[in-house]
Amino acid sequence: MKRVQALVIGALAWSAGAATAAGCGPGALGTERTITLKREGALYGAQQHTALPLEQGEVVLTFDDGPSVRNTPLVLKALADQCAKATFFMEGRHLRESPDLARRVVGEGHSAGIHSDTHPHMMALSAAQQLDDLKLSRAAYRTVFGVDTPAYRFPFLEETPTLLEALRSADITVASIDLGINDWIPEDTTEVLAQRLRASLDKAGRGIILMHDANGPTAKAMPTLLEVLKEKGYKVVHLEWEK
């Protein structure tokens, strides 16, 4: 029964997202194209690894730390209003707490990876503890989505040899970043976040953008942040992985 309910919820969420997307006019930011990556232990994100094959002026929208019952729906609405697709890197503990919301994210056409189980500083953990955290987050992802996660982003972008090897062996892509907006300060305003985004875009010119859907100021600022991308002529590229 629970399985049937989950499928119904996912279908309804997809329908709602599709309906919103269909209502987007020519002035919407939109999603320019989709890159489908192999399920392999690749390493992307120019801040630490190889850059994705993006043209100048192309960006990938990514969000960490969710799903958040309070904030993720606001982010989803802003994305739907602009017909823009993103990738959400979810924590295992939040997947267990809010599985329906996680399925809604994917049901609305976004892709998902994991962002550890409890967001620890991995360098402070033993190898066994790091692997246990990975195991728990992968299990949570599989329980919610029925498949293994295709991608992983390190908490604080703090990579460790133990987890890099484990992810490579499991054919899980490591997704680092190219630019961010440092959106974890509770007192941040929409204007401040928009200024940071403009500055980061001017410096990088393309790449994977790190944001946080669990952060209240970010969720509130999303309509403005997407307008910044549109005003500056940036195109959104969506990441997906082979099934």
Side-chain angles (χ1 to χ4, degrees), residues 197-229:
L197 177 59
R198 290 188 183 97
S200 292
L201 290 170
D202 289 344
K203 183 177 180 179
R206 76 185 83 182
I208 303 169
I209 303 176
L210 167 62
M211 295 175 283
H212 296 80
D213 59 309
N215 186 44
T218 304
K220 181 180 178 182
M222 277 312 301
T224 298
L225 298 179
L226 295 176
E227 285 293 336
V228 168
L229 292 174

Side-chain angles (χ1 to χ4, degrees), residues 43-52 159 174-178 208:
L43 306 165
Y44 290 111
Q47 188 168 117
Q48 294 171 293
H49 301 295
T50 302
L52 282 169
E159 299 181 352
V174 173
S176 185
I177 69 169
D178 295 277
I208 303 169

Side-chain angles (χ1 to χ4, degrees), residues 152-170:
Y152 182 95
R153 176 172 284 154
F154 279 85
F156 309 103
L157 301 181
E158 294 176 352
E159 299 181 352
T160 68
T162 295
L163 287 180
L164 285 171
E165 175 57 27
L167 294 165
R168 185 195 63 77
S169 297

Side-chain angles (χ1 to χ4, degrees), residues 10 13-18 76-77 80 84-85 103-110:
W14 182 89
S15 299
L76 290 175
K77 182 181 186 307
K85 301 303 180 187
R103 282 188 283 263
R104 175 185 165 188
V105 170
V106 172
E108 292 191 11
H110 307 289

Side-chain angles (χ1 to χ4, degrees), residues 25-216:
L29 176 62
T31 301
E32 182 74 6
R33 64 190 180 101
T34 297
I35 295 176
T36 301
L37 299 173
K38 293 181 179 180
R39 280 183 172 261
E40 60 181 355
L43 306 165
Y44 290 111
Q47 188 168 117
Q48 294 171 293
H49 301 295
T50 302
L52 282 169
L54 299 175
E55 300 295 330
Q56 189 74 8
E58 289 187 334
V59 293
V60 174
L61 306 178
T62 70
F63 296 90
D64 286 4
D65 295 355
S68 160
V69 172
R70 174 176 294 181
N71 298 311
T72 300
L74 298 177
V75 173
L76 290 175
K77 182 181 186 307
L79 292 170
D81 287 345
Q82 290 286 352
C83 295
K85 301 303 180 187
T87 302
F88 290 74
F89 291 92
M90 304 177 179
E91 294 178 24
R93 58 182 171 181
H94 297 319
L95 284 168
R96 291 188 291 274
E97 293 166 356
S98 304
D100 290 342
L101 179 56
R103 282 188 283 263
R104 175 185 165 188
V105 170
V106 172
E108 292 191 11
H110 307 289
S111 51
I114 52 177
H115 187 48
S116 80
D117 196 64
T118 60
H119 208 285
H121 285 279
M122 291 297 180
M123 294 178 180
L125 303 182
S126 67
Q129 289 172 323
Q130 293 175 43
L131 294 174
D132 187 55
D133 184 275
L134 176 61
K135 179 180 178 181
L136 290 171
S137 59
R138 290 180 67 186
Y141 189 99
R142 176 170 285 279
T143 296
V144 171
F145 297 115
V147 296
D148 196 18
T149 182
Y152 182 95
R153 176 172 284 154
F154 279 85
F156 309 103
L157 301 181
E158 294 176 352
E159 299 181 352
T160 68
T162 295
L163 287 180
L164 285 171
E165 175 57 27
L167 294 165
R168 185 195 63 77
S169 297
D171 290 329
I172 297 174
T173 295
V174 173
S176 185
I177 69 169
D178 295 277
L179 62 146
I181 58 173
N182 297 329
D183 57 328
W184 51 78
I185 302 171
E187 293 76 25
D188 277 341
T189 65
T190 294
E191 181 179 357
V192 166
L193 292 174
Q195 289 173 346
R196 288 185 195 148
L197 177 59
R198 290 188 183 97
S200 292
L201 290 170
D202 289 344
K203 183 177 180 179
R206 76 185 83 182
I208 303 169
I209 303 176
L210 167 62
M211 295 175 283
H212 296 80
D213 59 309
N215 186 44

